[in-house]
Amino acid sequence: MSAPDPAFSRPASRRFVLVAGLSCAAVALLATAPAALLGEDPVPSPSASPMINHSVYFTLQESNAEQRAGLIAACKKYLTGHEGTVYFAVGPRAEEFDREVNDKTFDVSLLVVFDSKEAHDKYAVAPRHLEFIEEQKAKWKTVRVFDSEVTATK
């Protein structure tokens, strides 16, 4: 008769921790393996420049579904596809979120993440961006822009 496996002679809670830890390690290995096999670094280098999170909150002169849809369509038309864009999203305020901390003073939000400050600065003066502002600005009651430096974490 062979000796019992030490992992199974431990209490159930210790076995769970052991199995959970090994499972997490396996998931991490599988998540980064494709990048490693391709010679890519799966985590951004600490010396890399921070990305720029460009968040814009529009409050419309006339807040209704048609005006919100028009602004969203204009954002998609003029503000997508700029060089250095890592992520783009636009949409109406989610009215179902009604906690004390939720800001309810805007109609449409725009989120663009740029790979660098230089990409953001080029976007700021790009003809399509300026055309968007000129075409849409009369419809805005207020516009709030929040730009921040961000780094990705996996």
Side-chain angles (χ1 to χ4, degrees):
M1 184 161 148
S2 64
D5 185 341
F8 289 99
S9 62
R10 294 183 181 125
S13 61
R14 289 183 69 195
R15 277 196 312 265
F16 173 77
V17 170
L18 177 65
V19 171
L22 291 173
S23 297
C24 289
V27 168
L29 179 62
L30 290 173
T32 58
L37 291 173
L38 294 172
E40 299 172 4
D41 185 2
V43 179
S45 164
S47 64
S49 298
M51 294 181 290
I52 302 300
N53 175 38
H54 179 67
S55 299
V56 184
Y57 297 87
F58 300 94
T59 304
L60 296 168
Q61 295 283 356
E62 240 182 275
S63 181
N64 59 51
E66 182 180 335
Q67 292 295 315
R68 288 189 294 272
L71 177 56
I72 290 167
C75 287
K76 290 177 181 177
K77 176 180 178 183
Y78 293 107
L79 306 180
T80 56
H82 288 268
E83 183 180 340
T85 298
V86 174
Y87 183 80
F88 175 92
V90 64
R93 180 173 62 82
E95 294 180 18
E96 66 271 17
F97 293 99
D98 194 24
R99 298 181 312 144
E100 242 180 68
V101 296
N102 290 115
D103 185 334
K104 301 174 198 102
T105 61
F106 69 96
D107 296 297
V108 171
S109 70
L110 168 71
L111 171 62
V112 185
V113 178
F114 296 99
D115 63 11
S116 64
K117 181 183 181 307
E118 293 75 26
H120 168 272
D121 293 349
K122 286 180 184 177
Y123 164 85
V125 295
R128 289 177 50 233
H129 179 242
L130 298 176
E131 189 176 351
F132 165 79
I133 294 169
E134 192 58 38
E135 178 186 290
Q136 296 294 312
K137 69 182 179 183
K139 300 172 186 175
W140 305 332
K141 187 176 192 176
T142 61
V143 176
R144 294 180 293 153
V145 178
F146 299 89
D147 290 322
S148 58
E149 295 180 345
V150 296
T151 54
T153 308
K154 290 188 179 194

